[in-house]
Amino acid sequence: MSTLALITGASGGIGEELARIMAAEKNDLILVARSKAKLETLAVELQKAHGIKCYVVDLDLARHGAALELYNRVVSLNLKPQILVNNAGFGEVGTFHENQTRKIEEMLTLNIETLTMLTRYFLPDLVKQKTGRILQVASTAAFLPGPYMAVYYASKAYVLHFSEALSIELKGTGVTVTALCPGPVPSGFQARANMKNDLMKLPGIMSPHAVAQIGYNALMKGKSYVIPGFLNWLSAFTVRFSPRCLVPLVVARLNRNRT
Ligand SMILES: NC(=O)c1ccc[n+]([C@@H]2O[C@H](COP(=O)([O-])OP(=O)(O)OC[C@H]3O[C@@H](n4cnc5c(N)ncnc54)[C@H](OP(=O)(O)O)[C@@H]3O)[C@@H](O)[C@H]2O)c1
């Protein structure tokens, strides 16, 4: 029997690459995002190339209650995913008091509420089946405070801590939770965050495909977290031994240049 994976944010960037990798591994897929046309094009391509089944769910996950709506739609299709990938997320640069309140709310809903509640709705079935894998897309932003992207960095800290805690709770159940913590990746993320596209100047930039492959490998090994790329790993590691008052100042400088 083939495995079924649900991927949020599969219409572009890291999520689309995860879909491609999982399809090549002969997993059936439920592709979720708002861009229906992009999802349908991807579904047709992957079904043709790999002989798998793809289901498309177009849904705005930045609305309260979206996780339950998605869960109910999956149940109504009589589908039971064994892999859940909570990848959809976005950030925004700028000073917190000037960020649009609606965007802040949507970011908190998508990055935290939807991710948490999708995990909550799907997890009991996985535990009952004594098998399952969950990939939560966090960020290297999870390891430090992020002036000029304050809510985004804090939301990713939540994702990392939540996922690491669950991975301990679930020991011995057959279900694993993995947090993927990428550094900067060129994707639709920068435009949505209103960032200046200065990424290519940064050292150690990784492609969405490379990050997705490392995330997929860690997921399959049941690792509790993974940081793709040596430089990203080093920066996350260095933060732990740097003065707490210094770190946000360095991040502030980096992020201010992107506004
Ligand atoms: N790129 C980076 O530098 C970077 C670094 C570290 C972590 N990350 C994280 O990696 C994840 C994927 O980001 P990415 O770089 O691949 O960005 P991306 O290219 O912008 O892709 C984001 C995906 O999320 C979906 N999405 C956004 N808002 C949504 C909503 N309201 N409802 C449903 N789906 C929604 C988008 O699809 P639609 O627009 O069609 O809805 C798209 O498929 C995010 O959680 C991000 O925080 C990114």
Side-chain angles (χ1 to χ4, degrees):
M1 207 178 72
S2 55
T3 304
L4 177 64
L6 185 153
I7 306 172
T8 69
S11 64
I14 297 168
E16 178 181 340
E17 294 305 323
L18 280 164
R20 290 182 185 286
I21 290 164
M22 290 188 177
E25 294 292 332
K26 302 289 179 203
N27 296 289
D28 293 334
L29 301 174
I30 306 170
L31 306 173
V32 189
R34 294 167 303 175
S35 311
K36 191 177 181 190
K38 280 189 194 169
L39 293 179
E40 282 176 345
T41 306
L42 181 64
V44 169
E45 182 199 321
L46 297 181
Q47 288 181 136
K48 219 169 165 185
H50 304 291
I52 57 153
K53 280 191 200 132
C54 277
Y55 305 86
V56 165
V57 180
D58 59 309
L59 194 62
D60 183 353
L61 297 172
R63 289 179 300 109
H64 299 301
L68 183 58
E69 198 177 326
L70 175 55
Y71 179 73
N72 285 337
R73 277 173 66 171
V74 171
V75 170
S76 71
L77 290 167
N78 217 6
L79 298 173
K80 280 194 175 178
Q82 294 88 20
I83 300 177
L84 170 65
V85 180
N86 276 310
N87 162 74
F90 77 95
E92 192 188 18
V93 289
T95 43
F96 174 68
H97 70 277
E98 288 172 323
N99 286 145
Q100 283 179 29
T101 53
R102 184 181 52 80
K103 273 209 178 174
I104 293 169
E105 242 188 306
E106 285 177 359
M107 198 189 302
L108 290 171
T109 306
L110 181 62
N111 296 10
I112 295 181
E113 179 189 317
T114 299
L115 175 143
T116 305
M117 295 317 293
L118 280 177
T119 306
R120 176 61 184 83
Y121 292 129
F122 283 103
L123 196 46
D125 284 341
L126 302 183
V127 172
K128 210 185 288 172
Q129 290 160 24
K130 297 189 172 63
T131 177
R133 298 187 187 279
I134 299 178
L135 185 67
Q136 317 279 34
V137 181
S139 167
T140 46
F143 295 94
L144 59 176
Y148 303 102
M149 278 190 100
V151 175
Y152 177 72
Y153 276 58
S155 75
K156 292 300 181 180
Y158 173 90
V159 174
L160 176 61
H161 289 180
F162 171 62
S163 308
E164 284 188 287
L166 284 193
S167 80
I168 299 291
E169 280 186 25
L170 290 167
K171 281 226 180 319
T173 63
V175 182
T176 60
V177 178
T178 303
L180 169 60
C181 303
V185 175
S187 69
F189 181 86
Q190 288 74 32
R192 178 113 193 249
N194 294 322
M195 252 179 205
K196 272 194 214 154
N197 205 355
D198 57 352
L199 272 188
M200 302 322 284
K201 292 182 209 150
L202 292 173
I205 286 295
M206 296 178 75
S207 71
H209 181 81
V211 166
Q213 187 67 61
I214 290 167
Y216 177 76
N217 295 346
L219 175 73
M220 288 301 116
K221 286 183 186 151
K223 288 189 172 180
S224 61
Y225 77 97
V226 63
I227 305 170
F230 176 70
L231 285 180
N232 292 323
W233 175 85
L234 189 66
S235 65
F237 184 75
T238 310
V239 163
R240 290 162 61 186
F241 303 100
S242 308
R244 195 143 176 89
C245 56
L246 193 70
V247 174
L249 297 179
V250 175
V251 182
R253 209 180 155 143
L254 244 171
N255 285 343
R256 208 170 21 218
N257 288 337
R258 288 172 166 174
T259 59

Short mmCIF file of all heavy atoms in Angstrom, two decimals, residues 120-178:
data_model
loop_
_atom_site.label_atom_id
_atom_site.label_comp_id
_atom_site.label_asym_id
_atom_site.label_seq_id
_atom_site.Cartn_x
_atom_site.Cartn_y
_atom_site.Cartn_z
N ARG A 120 -2.76 18.59 15.74
CA ARG A 120 -3.68 18.03 16.74
C ARG A 120 -4.76 17.16 16.08
O ARG A 120 -5.11 16.10 16.60
CB ARG A 120 -4.33 19.18 17.53
CG ARG A 120 -5.38 18.74 18.55
CD ARG A 120 -4.79 17.82 19.62
NE ARG A 120 -5.82 17.33 20.53
CZ ARG A 120 -6.61 16.28 20.29
NH1 ARG A 120 -6.47 15.59 19.16
NH2 ARG A 120 -7.51 15.91 21.17
N TYR A 121 -5.29 17.60 14.95
CA TYR A 121 -6.37 16.83 14.31
C TYR A 121 -5.86 15.52 13.70
O TYR A 121 -6.53 14.50 13.77
CB TYR A 121 -7.08 17.66 13.23
CG TYR A 121 -7.87 18.82 13.82
CD1 TYR A 121 -7.72 20.12 13.35
CD2 TYR A 121 -8.76 18.61 14.88
CE1 TYR A 121 -8.44 21.17 13.90
CE2 TYR A 121 -9.47 19.67 15.44
CZ TYR A 121 -9.31 20.94 14.94
OH TYR A 121 -10.00 21.98 15.50
N PHE A 122 -4.67 15.55 13.09
CA PHE A 122 -4.20 14.35 12.39
C PHE A 122 -3.47 13.37 13.31
O PHE A 122 -3.41 12.18 13.02
CB PHE A 122 -3.30 14.74 11.20
CG PHE A 122 -4.09 15.24 10.01
CD1 PHE A 122 -4.16 16.59 9.72
CD2 PHE A 122 -4.79 14.34 9.21
CE1 PHE A 122 -4.91 17.05 8.63
CE2 PHE A 122 -5.55 14.79 8.13
CZ PHE A 122 -5.60 16.14 7.84
N LEU A 123 -2.88 13.88 14.39
CA LEU A 123 -2.02 13.04 15.23
C LEU A 123 -2.72 11.82 15.86
O LEU A 123 -2.15 10.72 15.83
CB LEU A 123 -1.38 13.92 16.31
CG LEU A 123 -0.17 13.38 17.05
CD1 LEU A 123 0.85 12.75 16.13
CD2 LEU A 123 0.47 14.49 17.88
N PRO A 124 -3.93 11.95 16.40
CA PRO A 124 -4.54 10.77 17.03
C PRO A 124 -4.64 9.56 16.09
O PRO A 124 -4.39 8.43 16.51
CB PRO A 124 -5.93 11.27 17.45
CG PRO A 124 -5.75 12.74 17.64
CD PRO A 124 -4.76 13.15 16.59
N ASP A 125 -4.98 9.80 14.82
CA ASP A 125 -5.06 8.69 13.86
C ASP A 125 -3.69 8.05 13.66
O ASP A 125 -3.57 6.83 13.55
CB ASP A 125 -5.57 9.19 12.49
CG ASP A 125 -7.07 9.44 12.52
OD1 ASP A 125 -7.74 8.90 13.43
OD2 ASP A 125 -7.57 10.18 11.65
N LEU A 126 -2.65 8.88 13.61
CA LEU A 126 -1.29 8.36 13.41
C LEU A 126 -0.88 7.51 14.61
O LEU A 126 -0.31 6.42 14.47
CB LEU A 126 -0.28 9.50 13.20
CG LEU A 126 -0.55 10.45 12.03
CD1 LEU A 126 0.57 11.48 11.92
CD2 LEU A 126 -0.67 9.69 10.72
N VAL A 127 -1.18 8.01 15.80
CA VAL A 127 -0.82 7.27 17.03
C VAL A 127 -1.58 5.94 17.06
O VAL A 127 -1.01 4.90 17.40
CB VAL A 127 -1.09 8.12 18.29
CG1 VAL A 127 -0.92 7.31 19.56
CG2 VAL A 127 -0.16 9.34 18.31
N LYS A 128 -2.86 6.00 16.68
CA LYS A 128 -3.68 4.77 16.66
C LYS A 128 -3.09 3.75 15.68
O LYS A 128 -3.03 2.56 15.97
CB LYS A 128 -5.12 5.13 16.24
CG LYS A 128 -6.15 4.18 16.86
CD LYS A 128 -7.55 4.43 16.36
CE LYS A 128 -8.18 5.70 16.89
NZ LYS A 128 -9.47 6.00 16.22
N GLN A 129 -2.61 4.26 14.53
CA GLN A 129 -2.03 3.35 13.52
C GLN A 129 -0.61 2.92 13.88
O GLN A 129 0.00 2.11 13.19
CB GLN A 129 -1.98 4.05 12.15
CG GLN A 129 -3.34 4.28 11.50
CD GLN A 129 -3.27 5.38 10.44
OE1 GLN A 129 -2.22 5.67 9.87
NE2 GLN A 129 -4.41 6.01 10.18
N LYS A 130 -0.06 3.52 14.95
CA LYS A 130 1.32 3.26 15.42
C LYS A 130 2.38 3.57 14.36
O LYS A 130 3.46 2.99 14.37
CB LYS A 130 1.46 1.81 15.90
CG LYS A 130 0.59 1.46 17.10
CD LYS A 130 0.99 0.09 17.61
CE LYS A 130 0.35 -0.30 18.90
NZ LYS A 130 -1.06 -0.42 18.94
N THR A 131 2.04 4.45 13.43
CA THR A 131 3.03 4.86 12.43
C THR A 131 2.64 6.22 11.85
O THR A 131 1.45 6.48 11.65
CB THR A 131 3.19 3.82 11.30
OG1 THR A 131 4.11 4.33 10.33
CG2 THR A 131 1.87 3.51 10.59
N GLY A 132 3.63 7.04 11.61
CA GLY A 132 3.34 8.35 11.01
C GLY A 132 4.53 9.27 11.16
O GLY A 132 5.38 9.09 12.04
N ARG A 133 4.57 10.25 10.26
CA ARG A 133 5.67 11.21 10.31
C ARG A 133 5.12 12.62 10.09
O ARG A 133 4.27 12.83 9.23
CB ARG A 133 6.70 10.90 9.22
CG ARG A 133 7.32 9.54 9.41
CD ARG A 133 8.45 9.28 8.45
NE ARG A 133 8.89 7.89 8.57
CZ ARG A 133 9.71 7.45 9.51
NH1 ARG A 133 10.21 8.28 10.41
NH2 ARG A 133 10.07 6.19 9.55
N ILE A 134 5.65 13.55 10.89
CA ILE A 134 5.22 14.95 10.75
C ILE A 134 6.45 15.82 10.54
O ILE A 134 7.42 15.72 11.30
CB ILE A 134 4.44 15.41 12.01
CG1 ILE A 134 3.18 14.56 12.19
CG2 ILE A 134 4.07 16.89 11.89
CD1 ILE A 134 2.36 14.89 13.42
N LEU A 135 6.40 16.66 9.50
CA LEU A 135 7.48 17.62 9.25
C LEU A 135 6.93 19.01 9.46
O LEU A 135 5.94 19.41 8.82
CB LEU A 135 8.00 17.47 7.80
CG LEU A 135 9.20 18.33 7.44
CD1 LEU A 135 10.45 17.91 8.21
CD2 LEU A 135 9.49 18.26 5.93
N GLN A 136 7.55 19.76 10.36
CA GLN A 136 7.13 21.14 10.64
C GLN A 136 8.22 22.06 10.10
O GLN A 136 9.37 21.96 10.53
CB GLN A 136 7.00 21.39 12.16
CG GLN A 136 6.32 20.29 12.97
CD GLN A 136 4.80 20.35 12.89
OE1 GLN A 136 4.24 20.72 11.87
NE2 GLN A 136 4.13 19.95 13.96
N VAL A 137 7.86 22.95 9.20
CA VAL A 137 8.88 23.83 8.65
C VAL A 137 9.03 25.06 9.55
O VAL A 137 8.14 25.90 9.63
CB VAL A 137 8.61 24.20 7.18
CG1 VAL A 137 9.72 25.11 6.65
CG2 VAL A 137 8.52 22.94 6.33
N ALA A 138 10.17 25.10 10.25
CA ALA A 138 10.51 26.24 11.11
C ALA A 138 11.49 27.11 10.32
O ALA A 138 11.24 27.44 9.16
CB ALA A 138 11.11 25.73 12.42
N SER A 139 12.63 27.45 10.91
CA SER A 139 13.61 28.33 10.26
C SER A 139 14.80 28.48 11.21
O SER A 139 14.67 28.23 12.42
CB SER A 139 12.96 29.71 10.05
OG SER A 139 13.91 30.69 9.70
N THR A 140 15.93 28.94 10.69
CA THR A 140 17.02 29.31 11.61
C THR A 140 16.60 30.52 12.44
O THR A 140 17.17 30.78 13.51
CB THR A 140 18.33 29.63 10.85
OG1 THR A 140 18.02 30.49 9.75
CG2 THR A 140 19.02 28.38 10.35
N ALA A 141 15.56 31.23 11.97
CA ALA A 141 15.01 32.35 12.75
C ALA A 141 14.48 31.87 14.10
O ALA A 141 14.33 32.67 15.04
CB ALA A 141 13.87 33.02 11.97
N ALA A 142 14.22 30.58 14.21
CA ALA A 142 13.69 30.02 15.47
C ALA A 142 14.68 30.12 16.62
O ALA A 142 14.29 30.04 17.78
CB ALA A 142 13.33 28.55 15.24
N PHE A 143 15.97 30.31 16.31
CA PHE A 143 17.01 30.25 17.34
C PHE A 143 17.33 31.61 17.95
O PHE A 143 18.16 31.70 18.83
CB PHE A 143 18.29 29.63 16.76
CG PHE A 143 18.11 28.19 16.36
CD1 PHE A 143 17.76 27.84 15.07
CD2 PHE A 143 18.26 27.17 17.30
CE1 PHE A 143 17.57 26.52 14.70
CE2 PHE A 143 18.06 25.84 16.95
CZ PHE A 143 17.72 25.51 15.64
N LEU A 144 16.70 32.69 17.43
CA LEU A 144 17.09 34.01 17.92
C LEU A 144 15.97 35.04 17.76
O LEU A 144 15.07 34.84 16.95
CB LEU A 144 18.37 34.49 17.20
CG LEU A 144 18.41 34.64 15.70
CD1 LEU A 144 19.73 35.21 15.24
CD2 LEU A 144 18.24 33.34 14.99
N PRO A 145 16.03 36.13 18.55
CA PRO A 145 15.03 37.17 18.36
C PRO A 145 15.31 37.94 17.07
O PRO A 145 16.47 38.10 16.70
CB PRO A 145 15.22 38.09 19.58
CG PRO A 145 16.46 37.66 20.26
CD PRO A 145 17.01 36.45 19.60
N GLY A 146 14.28 38.43 16.40
CA GLY A 146 14.47 39.04 15.09
C GLY A 146 13.87 40.42 14.94
O GLY A 146 12.80 40.57 14.36
N PRO A 147 14.56 41.46 15.46
CA PRO A 147 14.06 42.82 15.25
C PRO A 147 13.82 43.08 13.76
O PRO A 147 14.58 42.64 12.93
CB PRO A 147 15.20 43.71 15.77
CG PRO A 147 16.01 42.84 16.66
CD PRO A 147 15.85 41.45 16.17
N TYR A 148 12.75 43.80 13.46
CA TYR A 148 12.29 44.12 12.09
C TYR A 148 11.66 42.92 11.38
O TYR A 148 11.29 43.00 10.22
CB TYR A 148 13.40 44.75 11.23
CG TYR A 148 13.94 46.00 11.88
CD1 TYR A 148 15.15 45.97 12.56
CD2 TYR A 148 13.20 47.17 11.88
CE1 TYR A 148 15.62 47.10 13.21
CE2 TYR A 148 13.66 48.30 12.53
CZ TYR A 148 14.87 48.26 13.19
OH TYR A 148 15.33 49.37 13.84
N MET A 149 11.55 41.78 12.09
CA MET A 149 10.71 40.65 11.64
C MET A 149 10.28 39.94 12.93
O MET A 149 10.32 38.72 13.03
CB MET A 149 11.48 39.67 10.75
CG MET A 149 11.60 40.09 9.30
SD MET A 149 12.26 38.77 8.28
CE MET A 149 10.81 38.08 7.53
N ALA A 150 9.91 40.73 13.91
CA ALA A 150 9.76 40.23 15.28
C ALA A 150 8.76 39.08 15.39
O ALA A 150 9.05 38.05 16.02
CB ALA A 150 9.35 41.38 16.20
N VAL A 151 7.60 39.24 14.76
CA VAL A 151 6.55 38.22 14.89
C VAL A 151 6.96 36.95 14.16
O VAL A 151 6.77 35.84 14.66
CB VAL A 151 5.20 38.76 14.35
CG1 VAL A 151 4.13 37.67 14.37
CG2 VAL A 151 4.74 39.95 15.18
N TYR A 152 7.56 37.13 12.99
CA TYR A 152 7.96 35.95 12.21
C TYR A 152 8.98 35.11 12.99
O TYR A 152 8.82 33.88 13.13
CB TYR A 152 8.54 36.38 10.86
CG TYR A 152 9.04 35.20 10.06
CD1 TYR A 152 8.13 34.31 9.47
CD2 TYR A 152 10.41 34.94 9.91
CE1 TYR A 152 8.58 33.21 8.75
CE2 TYR A 152 10.86 33.85 9.19
CZ TYR A 152 9.94 32.98 8.62
OH TYR A 152 10.38 31.88 7.92
N TYR A 153 10.03 35.73 13.49
CA TYR A 153 11.07 34.99 14.22
C TYR A 153 10.45 34.28 15.44
O TYR A 153 10.74 33.12 15.72
CB TYR A 153 12.19 35.93 14.69
CG TYR A 153 13.25 36.21 13.66
CD1 TYR A 153 12.92 36.79 12.42
CD2 TYR A 153 14.60 35.96 13.91
CE1 TYR A 153 13.89 37.07 11.47
CE2 TYR A 153 15.58 36.24 12.96
CZ TYR A 153 15.22 36.80 11.76
OH TYR A 153 16.19 37.08 10.82
N ALA A 154 9.60 35.02 16.15
CA ALA A 154 8.98 34.43 17.35
C ALA A 154 8.06 33.26 16.97
O ALA A 154 8.00 32.26 17.67
CB ALA A 154 8.20 35.51 18.11
N SER A 155 7.38 33.40 15.83
CA SER A 155 6.48 32.30 15.41
C SER A 155 7.28 31.04 15.09
O SER A 155 6.85 29.93 15.37
CB SER A 155 5.62 32.73 14.21
OG SER A 155 6.36 32.75 13.01
N LYS A 156 8.47 31.22 14.54
CA LYS A 156 9.29 30.05 14.19
C LYS A 156 9.93 29.44 15.44
O LYS A 156 10.18 28.22 15.48
CB LYS A 156 10.34 30.43 13.14
CG LYS A 156 9.73 30.77 11.78
CD LYS A 156 8.92 29.60 11.21
CE LYS A 156 8.32 29.90 9.85
NZ LYS A 156 7.55 28.77 9.30
N ALA A 157 10.21 30.27 16.45
CA ALA A 157 10.68 29.72 17.74
C ALA A 157 9.60 28.81 18.31
O ALA A 157 9.87 27.73 18.85
CB ALA A 157 11.01 30.85 18.71
N TYR A 158 8.35 29.24 18.20
CA TYR A 158 7.22 28.43 18.65
C TYR A 158 7.22 27.08 17.92
O TYR A 158 7.11 26.01 18.53
CB TYR A 158 5.90 29.16 18.40
CG TYR A 158 4.69 28.29 18.69
CD1 TYR A 158 4.10 28.26 19.95
CD2 TYR A 158 4.16 27.47 17.69
CE1 TYR A 158 3.01 27.43 20.21
CE2 TYR A 158 3.09 26.64 17.94
CZ TYR A 158 2.51 26.62 19.20
OH TYR A 158 1.45 25.79 19.45
N VAL A 159 7.36 27.15 16.59
CA VAL A 159 7.30 25.91 15.78
C VAL A 159 8.39 24.94 16.22
O VAL A 159 8.15 23.74 16.41
CB VAL A 159 7.43 26.23 14.27
CG1 VAL A 159 7.51 24.94 13.45
CG2 VAL A 159 6.26 27.08 13.79
N LEU A 160 9.60 25.46 16.41
CA LEU A 160 10.72 24.59 16.80
C LEU A 160 10.48 23.97 18.18
O LEU A 160 10.61 22.76 18.35
CB LEU A 160 12.04 25.38 16.78
CG LEU A 160 13.28 24.62 17.25
CD1 LEU A 160 13.55 23.41 16.35
CD2 LEU A 160 14.51 25.53 17.28
N HIS A 161 10.12 24.81 19.16
CA HIS A 161 9.94 24.29 20.52
C HIS A 161 8.76 23.33 20.61
O HIS A 161 8.84 22.29 21.27
CB HIS A 161 9.77 25.46 21.51
CG HIS A 161 11.04 26.22 21.72
ND1 HIS A 161 11.15 27.31 22.55
CD2 HIS A 161 12.27 26.05 21.18
CE1 HIS A 161 12.39 27.76 22.52
NE2 HIS A 161 13.08 27.03 21.70
N PHE A 162 7.69 23.68 19.94
CA PHE A 162 6.50 22.81 19.91
C PHE A 162 6.88 21.44 19.32
O PHE A 162 6.55 20.38 19.89
CB PHE A 162 5.42 23.50 19.07
CG PHE A 162 4.22 22.67 18.76
CD1 PHE A 162 3.40 22.20 19.78
CD2 PHE A 162 3.87 22.37 17.45
CE1 PHE A 162 2.27 21.43 19.49
CE2 PHE A 162 2.75 21.61 17.16
CZ PHE A 162 1.94 21.13 18.18
N SER A 163 7.61 21.46 18.22
CA SER A 163 7.95 20.22 17.53
C SER A 163 8.91 19.36 18.35
O SER A 163 8.74 18.14 18.44
CB SER A 163 8.58 20.53 16.16
OG SER A 163 7.76 21.41 15.45
N GLU A 164 9.92 20.00 18.94
CA GLU A 164 10.87 19.24 19.76
C GLU A 164 10.18 18.62 20.96
O GLU A 164 10.48 17.49 21.35
CB GLU A 164 12.01 20.14 20.22
CG GLU A 164 13.02 20.45 19.13
CD GLU A 164 14.22 21.19 19.68
OE1 GLU A 164 14.08 22.39 20.00
OE2 GLU A 164 15.28 20.57 19.82
N ALA A 165 9.26 19.36 21.54
CA ALA A 165 8.52 18.83 22.70
C ALA A 165 7.69 17.61 22.28
O ALA A 165 7.70 16.57 22.96
CB ALA A 165 7.61 19.92 23.28
N LEU A 166 6.99 17.74 21.15
CA LEU A 166 6.16 16.62 20.68
C LEU A 166 7.01 15.39 20.36
O LEU A 166 6.58 14.26 20.60
CB LEU A 166 5.39 17.01 19.42
CG LEU A 166 4.18 17.91 19.57
CD1 LEU A 166 3.37 17.92 18.29
CD2 LEU A 166 3.30 17.47 20.72
N SER A 167 8.19 15.62 19.80
CA SER A 167 9.01 14.46 19.40
C SER A 167 9.39 13.63 20.63
O SER A 167 9.55 12.43 20.54
CB SER A 167 10.23 14.89 18.59
OG SER A 167 11.23 15.37 19.44
N ILE A 168 9.51 14.30 21.78
CA ILE A 168 9.78 13.55 23.04
C ILE A 168 8.50 12.86 23.51
O ILE A 168 8.51 11.67 23.83
CB ILE A 168 10.29 14.52 24.15
CG1 ILE A 168 11.60 15.18 23.73
CG2 ILE A 168 10.43 13.79 25.49
CD1 ILE A 168 12.80 14.27 23.66
N GLU A 169 7.39 13.60 23.53
CA GLU A 169 6.12 13.00 23.99
C GLU A 169 5.77 11.74 23.20
O GLU A 169 5.15 10.83 23.73
CB GLU A 169 4.95 14.00 23.78
CG GLU A 169 4.82 15.06 24.83
CD GLU A 169 3.54 15.90 24.59
OE1 GLU A 169 2.59 15.42 23.98
OE2 GLU A 169 3.54 17.07 25.05
N LEU A 170 6.15 11.74 21.91
CA LEU A 170 5.69 10.66 21.03
C LEU A 170 6.64 9.47 20.96
O LEU A 170 6.39 8.53 20.21
CB LEU A 170 5.46 11.23 19.62
CG LEU A 170 4.25 12.17 19.54
CD1 LEU A 170 4.25 12.96 18.24
CD2 LEU A 170 2.95 11.38 19.67
N LYS A 171 7.73 9.53 21.73
CA LYS A 171 8.69 8.41 21.71
C LYS A 171 7.98 7.10 22.03
O LYS A 171 7.18 7.03 22.96
CB LYS A 171 9.81 8.65 22.73
CG LYS A 171 10.85 9.61 22.23
CD LYS A 171 12.27 9.11 22.48
CE LYS A 171 13.35 10.04 22.00
NZ LYS A 171 13.24 10.71 20.76
N GLY A 172 8.23 6.09 21.22
CA GLY A 172 7.63 4.77 21.45
C GLY A 172 6.25 4.59 20.84
O GLY A 172 5.68 3.50 20.91
N THR A 173 5.72 5.65 20.21
CA THR A 173 4.38 5.53 19.60
C THR A 173 4.44 5.11 18.13
O THR A 173 3.42 4.78 17.54
CB THR A 173 3.62 6.88 19.64
OG1 THR A 173 4.35 7.83 18.84
CG2 THR A 173 3.46 7.40 21.06
N GLY A 174 5.64 5.20 17.53
CA GLY A 174 5.75 4.93 16.09
C GLY A 174 5.57 6.18 15.26
O GLY A 174 5.70 6.15 14.04
N VAL A 175 5.28 7.31 15.92
CA VAL A 175 5.10 8.58 15.20
C VAL A 175 6.29 9.50 15.53
O VAL A 175 6.67 9.62 16.69
CB VAL A 175 3.79 9.27 15.62
CG1 VAL A 175 3.58 10.56 14.83
CG2 VAL A 175 2.60 8.34 15.43
N THR A 176 6.83 10.14 14.51
CA THR A 176 7.94 11.06 14.74
C THR A 176 7.57 12.47 14.27
O THR A 176 6.74 12.64 13.37
CB THR A 176 9.22 10.62 13.98
OG1 THR A 176 8.94 10.58 12.58
CG2 THR A 176 9.70 9.26 14.46
N VAL A 177 8.19 13.46 14.91
CA VAL A 177 8.00 14.87 14.53
C VAL A 177 9.38 15.48 14.27
O VAL A 177 10.27 15.37 15.12
CB VAL A 177 7.28 15.65 15.64
CG1 VAL A 177 7.13 17.12 15.25
CG2 VAL A 177 5.91 15.06 15.93
N THR A 178 9.52 16.11 13.11
CA THR A 178 10.80 16.69 12.72
C THR A 178 10.61 18.17 12.40
O THR A 178 9.72 18.51 11.61
CB THR A 178 11.33 15.98 11.44
OG1 THR A 178 11.44 14.59 11.70
CG2 THR A 178 12.69 16.53 11.02
#
